Amino acid sequence: MSLVSPRTRLATLSALTALGAFVSAGTATAAAPQLNGSWAPFDRCPVDAPAMLAADGLDRSTQCVSSSSAGGSIRLGNTTVVTGRTNLQIGVIQNADGTNTVVPPPAGSLIADSATVPGGLLGLMCPSDIPFITDICRQLSDANLNKITATVESVGTPSEFDQIAGVLTDMPIVRIPVRIHLQNPFLGSNCYIGTKSNPIVLRPSNLTSPDFSVERYDGDGSPNEEGDMSRLNILGSTQVDRTFAVPGASGCGLGLGLVNGAVNLKTGLPAASGRNSITLDNTQTYLTGLYAPGVVAPDAGKVFSRNWHSAVK
């Protein structure tokens, strides 16, 4: 016998639908500035973070890193989703002893387009012999109610950045903690795969060798073979990671976890390392910094920030 009355199920479903309509409206976010010339890929670099400004150019020097992919795919357990554009940006403080510290942008290091989960809710959890799930399945003739979007979100500061690995193959370039936000009216606003305390940890590496070049430019981004800025261009590689584990879904169903089990059953979660993968096609990676930071010591961080701001259109 069901432990949930028909009236309670109907009320809960109505609440989920109303909440989903609110969630789908989204929230406005501030647009990143447009930067001139060679600064263009670094529109979210945290040049004004206190640690970046404090870099002296001798013991510590600052860099911006930007890596984008127009598309790819991610496989979690039994489910593969075609992804859209992703953009990773970080500030990096290079220390004289060869170590480095990653500084994230205020809004998070990774921004990704939402992707559509194949089959939507029908494919994810229907049919089902769970009464609550069965009630949801009966309402999914509406394509908008069936659609699920998945968005990869940053949930912490990247670490273990390896600049050399960026130009080689089969070496992890950076460690990126993320979670995946599943959105649908019936899932509520807090349905995630991975959490802040138990994230999915990506360590992408180059599967194919990138093209590599170096350029110089002025502080405002204008090309100049003798400019005080330099940029590394690391272009065209396919990046992959097949090593990460994926925890089960949580918070799905009005934040109460009412459909966590159905999501996990169909997707095969949690999934251990080796059952998951991510592929980023045709990555475009750029790294920039002062060409000779020691020349402007102890104010290298401040000069670096001032140059970035001078390039804002």
Side-chain angles (χ1 to χ4, degrees), residues 39 219-220 228-229 290 302-311:
W39 272 114
D220 68 354
D228 60 356
M229 299 292 299
L290 291 165
K302 296 181 179 66
V303 171
F304 188 66
S305 173
R306 185 164 65 242
N307 286 352
W308 185 93
H309 284 284
S310 73

Side-chain angles (χ1 to χ4, degrees), residues 234-254:
I234 308 168
L235 310 177
S237 68
T238 297
Q239 292 184 357
V240 300
D241 182 12
R242 302 186 181 99
T243 66
F244 59 95
V246 179
S250 61
C252 302
L254 203 58

Side-chain angles (χ1 to χ4, degrees), residues 255-282:
L256 303 176
L258 298 174
V259 296
N260 290 345
V263 172
N264 290 334
L265 181 64
K266 280 296 185 74
T267 54
L269 300 180
S273 173
R275 295 187 55 215
N276 317 291
S277 65
I278 187 170
T279 301
L280 303 172
D281 298 326
N282 190 27

